[in-house]
Amino acid sequence: MLVKLPEAGADMMTAPFRAALRSRTYATETLNTPPPAQVIPVTTRDGAKLRVHAYGPADGEVIVLAHGWSCAIEYWNPQINAFAGEYRVIAFDQRGHGESESGARTFGAEQLADDFAEVLDAVLRPGQRATLVGHSMGGMTIQAWARYYPEQVAERASAVLLATTAARQIPNRATVIPFFNELVPAPSWLARVLFGTPVPLPGGSAVGAIAKYRLMTGAATADEIAFGLSIVRSCRPSVRASVARGLLNLDLHGAAADLTVPTTVIAGSADRLLPEIHSREIADTLADAGYLDRYVILPTGHLVNIEAPQAFNAELHRVIRMGRRGLVAAAG
């Protein structure tokens, strides 16, 4: 049974080890945290300071990475380590996550969009465009930005990659809780209690086994499981809970149509948190609008860029090249 703690108390309990969880060292070197080339100061309109890191050469083509619920910049280590030798890789902590402040605003689509627009303001020069990559809630962030800032899409994005994400009906489709939404519909209160209660997440082999078979797949390595679980455990319990409650009602249906640049969607065939139906719905929206570049299904769970880094990185390389060709064509 979950015991609800005062949110400040739950955060205080986890404060001594949150940063260490994000910076653990693994035998799998691509999971280890590299030092940033630059820390970019970003303060939102309501005064929240966001942690924004840049990696790689200052004059490189830009990739902007937006992480998902309960994650942080370090979630993207497999991509930062793979791309920062050639590209300018930008990653940031979403509001309240990692070392970013929560500020005064509550979670919602417009807040996600505004924060992302302000990050782009800070990291892109006038006229510069980037490849935008969003995982899970990060993909929702990019969709929200397109909905609220449609005039910026062609100005700031050369191409987009949305990975294991969704636009709506998140609690009604998730199958991460055994039996529910597979055999019987999940009651609305269940997700709110399990995910929206601010309790510290424990570690240990039992929790690792749950993460392996409900968030990932049986093919996930011990390092991949430990890495993914450590990143999620490093999130403040109050933020994890409040954002989860907000995600239950988030509705961005149709927003992908405002992504007016070539957009690729990646789904995980065994994703239980945001099953493939979400990605397919977004891909259909993009196809109807004429902006779907490619729809890819990889044999992973929800953490697709961790579970299948080589395939994910190969697809991201292709997306970057495709966006580059579009920029050359537009200039000509």
Side-chain angles (χ1 to χ4, degrees):
M1 179 178 179
L2 292 173
V3 178
K4 184 171 182 179
L5 300 171
E7 295 198 356
D11 288 354
M12 288 177 61
M13 288 178 63
T14 63
F17 58 82
R18 287 199 300 263
L21 284 169
R22 293 194 299 271
S23 60
R24 290 179 60 182
T25 300
Y26 301 88
T28 306
E29 292 187 3
T30 55
L31 298 176
N32 295 330
T33 301
Q38 184 183 6
V39 176
I40 302 172
V42 175
T43 302
T44 66
R45 63 188 63 183
D46 66 313
K49 294 180 180 179
L50 305 183
R51 181 172 69 140
V52 182
H53 285 179
Y55 305 83
D59 59 351
E61 294 177 69
V62 181
I63 307 168
V64 178
L65 306 173
H67 71 73
W69 171 61
S70 293
C71 293
I73 287 172
E74 289 80 4
Y75 175 81
W76 292 110
N77 284 353
Q79 286 63 54
I80 295 169
N81 286 315
F83 287 86
E86 179 180 358
Y87 298 94
R88 180 72 160 176
V89 181
I90 305 294
F92 69 101
D93 285 342
Q94 299 260 18
R95 177 184 292 256
H97 292 70
E99 296 179 18
S100 287
E101 296 176 351
S102 294
R105 298 184 68 178
T106 56
F107 174 84
E110 191 167 2
Q111 167 263 309
L112 290 172
D114 290 347
D115 287 359
F116 192 65
E118 290 177 3
V119 169
L120 295 181
D121 278 343
V123 304
L124 296 178
R125 299 186 304 271
Q128 187 177 31
R129 289 191 275 180
T131 300
L132 309 182
V133 184
H135 168 256
S136 192
M137 189 183 77
M140 300 172 206
T141 298
I142 295 174
Q143 292 175 78
W145 169 72
R147 167 166 287 177
Y148 286 97
Y149 294 89
E151 73 286 353
Q152 292 188 7
V153 174
E155 296 174 357
R156 292 185 166 171
S158 57
V160 173
L161 193 161
L162 303 176
T164 53
T165 189
R168 60 171 180 167
Q169 296 183 0
I170 293 172
N172 305 100
R173 293 170 169 174
T175 58
V176 70
I177 305 170
F179 307 115
F180 288 106
N181 292 335
E182 292 178 301
L183 299 179
V184 295
S188 59
W189 59 263
L190 183 61
R192 183 173 293 273
V193 169
L194 288 179
F195 299 110
T197 302
V199 295
L201 290 180
S205 58
V207 177
I210 293 171
K212 179 175 184 175
Y213 292 106
R214 304 311 295 182
L215 288 179
M216 304 170 83
T217 71
T221 68
D223 270 3
E224 290 166 353
I225 297 163
F227 174 77
L229 186 57
S230 291
I231 295 296
V232 172
R233 290 181 63 217
S234 76
C235 185
R236 298 179 186 92
S238 64
V239 172
R240 185 176 62 248
S242 63
V243 172
R245 294 192 297 268
L247 287 169
L248 295 179
N249 299 313
L250 190 72
D251 190 344
L252 290 166
H253 183 53
D258 290 317
L259 287 169
T260 53
V261 295
T263 300
T264 292
V265 180
I266 296 181
S269 61
D271 189 348
R272 296 177 181 275
L273 187 60
L274 298 178
E276 191 258 339
I277 186 175
H278 289 291
S279 293
R280 186 172 297 277
E281 181 177 72
I282 293 168
D284 288 345
T285 297
L286 287 160
D288 290 343
Y291 302 112
L292 178 67
D293 178 58
R294 189 174 180 184
Y295 183 55
V296 180
I297 303 176
L298 295 178
T300 71
H302 187 61
L303 308 185
V304 59
N305 59 305
I306 295 172
E307 299 174 68
Q310 292 182 331
F312 185 92
N313 291 350
E315 189 61 26
L316 179 50
H317 272 296
R318 188 198 66 79
V319 169
I320 293 168
R321 292 193 300 269
M322 180 269 303
R324 186 186 301 153
R325 289 194 298 269
L327 292 177
V328 171

